[in-house]
Every structure is written in structure tokens, then in C-alpha cells.
Amino acid sequence: MHFISALYSVAVTIALVLPATAAPQPITKRAPSDLSLNAQLRLADTAIERYQLLPNDSDFVFNFTGSEEVPIASSQNWPALVGVGASFSISQLPACSMSFLHLHPRATELFGLTSGRILSEMVPQAGVLNADGKQRVISVELGPGMVTVYPAGSFHTQVNPDCEPASFAAAFTSDEFAVSLIAEQTFSLPDDVIARTFGQSIAGEDIEKVRGAIPASMAIQVEECLAKCGKEKRRV
């Protein structure tokens, strides 16, 4: 009986102490001026407020010309796109080069060619099979005026097999679409995970060698095309 009474006293003490220790702490509010423009745009209650935060007509123009930065207009470098749900890119794929196998986790991409020729490869989600019951790969050849689509999350790459640059424009269904690089991110995992994922086909001692061979650039030069065009491989 004495034990039950003592246990009850402990329970009452905990009940009295917990509310005091669990009391919510006051949140320090930040003045709007302390926030970045993008943060203010995302916190705006209405589209009208967003327009008020972009008072200059020039806020609604993005100039790709003469920019040495990555040729992509997104909300990260063009605040007018916050809340719009779209991004845009204009660029070239150099002669004899291939874009790294990649995907966009938050956006579908519409990829259109304005000059040159591009060989496009796209791998849809798991379960999309070809006539032989194997993973389907959608391969198309694009010329000027042609567009293909890469649904969000699909692996894709583009190859320029010719001796001249290929110019393209790309639209994305997110103002912050992001890029995932398949090889680089896969081989950032621990060695044992990689070995098991590839069915032990890559020996443990070779994994670091593969990591070191992954190019840092988004564009990979195609040796056969370089030889055909009489071009020297560019040194990084």
C-alpha cells in the first residue's frame, strides 16, 4: 500500500512538472526586410502582393545574352518565377558531346531543338516495358522545330553526334526543378550498397576507380565523333 501511494505521488509530480517544461517557446518574428526577395514572394498571401514586391517592369525580363552563368532561368535567379510553376533554358550542346545521364525530380521537361541534330534517350519509370518485357528506352532523333518530353523523374540524356553545336530551348513545369546526376549520386553511396545494387558485378576494389572516372561536367565528349570531325579532345 505504501508502494502504491509513493507511485501515485511520483505520477502527480510528473504531471505537474511536464506542462511547465513542455510550454511552447516564443517564436522570434523576423521583419519582412530581413527576408530575401524570394522568401517574401513565397510568403505573400496573394498574387497582388507578389506584383507589389516586383515594382519594376524590368523585373519581368530575363536576359540570356552575354551571361556566363548556367543558361537556366528559374526562381533561384529570376524572382518573377516564384509561384509561376515554370522555368526555362536556352543553350547549346557542343559538337561531339553528350549530356550526362540525369533526371529532374520536381519537373517535366519539354526539350525543343532550334538548330542541329540531337539523339535523345529517355528511360521511363520502372514497369514501363517494351515488347520483349524489358525496361523500355525511348530513343528519338530530333531536328530543328522538333520537341520531345521527359516526364518528371525519368532518366534522360542527349547526344550531339555532329561536328557543329546543336541549339535548344527547354521548358520545365517547376520554378525550381533541380537536377539529379545518376552516376555521381549513385556512387556517393557506401561501397557495400553499390556492390549489392550492381549484383557484385563491380568488385569492391574497382568502385573507387569508377568514382574517380565520373566526369565533373554535364557534357561528355564523344570520342568517335571527335575523330570523325578531326577535333581534339578538350582538356579540362
Side-chain angles (χ1 to χ4, degrees):
M1 192 70 177
H2 176 71
F3 172 76
I4 296 175
S5 177
L7 190 63
Y8 176 77
S9 298
V10 171
V12 170
T13 302
I14 292 174
L16 291 173
V17 170
L18 278 180
T21 58
Q25 300 299 310
I27 297 174
T28 302
K29 293 185 178 180
R30 298 172 62 184
S33 58
D34 293 337
L35 302 174
S36 68
L37 176 57
N38 274 19
Q40 294 179 57
L41 288 164
R42 294 189 188 282
L43 291 173
D45 289 330
T46 67
I48 293 173
E49 288 186 15
R50 286 198 290 272
Y51 279 107
Q52 292 171 344
L53 289 166
L54 300 168
N56 303 313
D57 291 352
S58 58
D59 292 333
F60 295 88
V61 176
F62 186 90
N63 188 358
F64 285 100
T65 306
S67 174
E68 296 182 358
E69 298 179 0
V70 177
I72 296 172
S74 71
S75 60
Q76 293 169 291
N77 57 3
W78 190 16
L81 291 182
V82 170
V84 172
S87 303
F88 195 70
S89 176
I90 297 175
S91 190
Q92 288 186 333
L93 190 61
C96 299
S97 66
M98 179 186 87
S99 66
F100 223 28
L101 184 63
H102 64 283
L103 62 84
H104 304 293
R106 293 191 290 274
T108 291
E109 176 183 0
L110 291 173
F111 181 91
L113 209 60
T114 56
S115 71
R117 183 167 67 111
I118 289 289
L119 306 179
S120 166
E121 303 272 354
M122 189 264 284
V123 182
Q125 67 188 63
V128 179
L129 309 177
N130 61 20
D132 298 325
K134 298 179 179 179
Q135 173 68 53
R136 185 177 179 187
V137 178
I138 298 174
S139 304
V140 297
E141 181 174 326
L142 302 174
M146 300 174 70
V147 178
T148 191
V149 59
Y150 305 122
S154 60
F155 297 178
H156 58 277
T157 184
Q158 302 94 7
V159 179
N160 177 1
D162 295 332
C163 305
E164 299 298 328
S167 298
F168 66 86
F172 303 88
T173 58
S174 169
D175 59 49
E176 192 183 352
F177 57 89
V179 177
S180 293
L181 302 177
I182 308 306
E184 181 180 333
Q185 291 180 238
T186 297
F187 279 84
S188 67
L189 292 165
D191 290 3
D192 58 339
V193 174
I194 294 171
R196 293 190 184 101
T197 298
F198 288 91
Q200 307 295 335
S201 61
I202 303 179
E205 60 270 19
D206 292 332
I207 292 176
E208 193 59 39
K209 188 185 300 182
V210 174
R211 281 196 187 101
I214 297 173
S217 172
M218 274 291 288
I220 308 163
Q221 293 186 297
V222 180
E223 301 285 353
E224 300 88 341
C225 179
L226 290 170
K228 175 187 73 175
C229 298
K231 295 178 177 289
E232 291 186 6
K233 186 171 183 179
R234 184 174 53 197
R235 302 294 177 185
V236 178

